[in-house]
Amino acid sequence: MELFTMSEALQAVGISPPPGRGEVSVFCPNCDRDQRGRKHLCISMRTGVFNCPRCGVHGGVLGLYGLFRDCDNKTAIRELIAWRNGGGTVQATPE
């Protein structure tokens, strides 16, 4: 049993999950920083994994959350638990 769903991770970082168990493509925070052109990061709701064919980043639910928040799995779990308990979107990391 998974601790968090891909849908929860997407919602926590402010991305609307697709309806059902489909796929969604978004700008990759690793290689699409200018957010122009094609969205390279493909996220599968059915399998709970993501992949970017452009830069090669890939992983599961915690990895996706960590990619957007620039944090490790331990921090991701802590933040997702706090998000789940309080709802809303996790605050962006200061730059």
Side-chain angles (χ1 to χ4, degrees), residues 21-79:
R21 294 179 52 87
E23 292 186 355
V24 64
S25 292
V26 299
F27 290 112
C28 177
N30 198 42
C31 68
D32 289 331
R33 292 191 179 143
D34 60 2
Q35 295 193 354
R36 291 184 293 163
R38 183 170 173 240
K39 297 176 180 179
H40 289 95
L41 190 67
C42 182
I43 304 165
S44 172
M45 305 303 285
R46 184 178 59 80
T47 60
V49 297
F50 68 92
N51 178 54
C52 178
R54 185 176 185 192
C55 68
V57 67
H58 63 279
V61 174
L62 294 177
L64 178 79
Y65 182 85
L67 178 64
F68 278 92
R69 296 282 297 137
D70 192 26
C71 66
D72 60 16
N73 285 352
K74 186 176 181 178
T75 303
I77 291 170
R78 187 173 54 248
E79 289 184 5

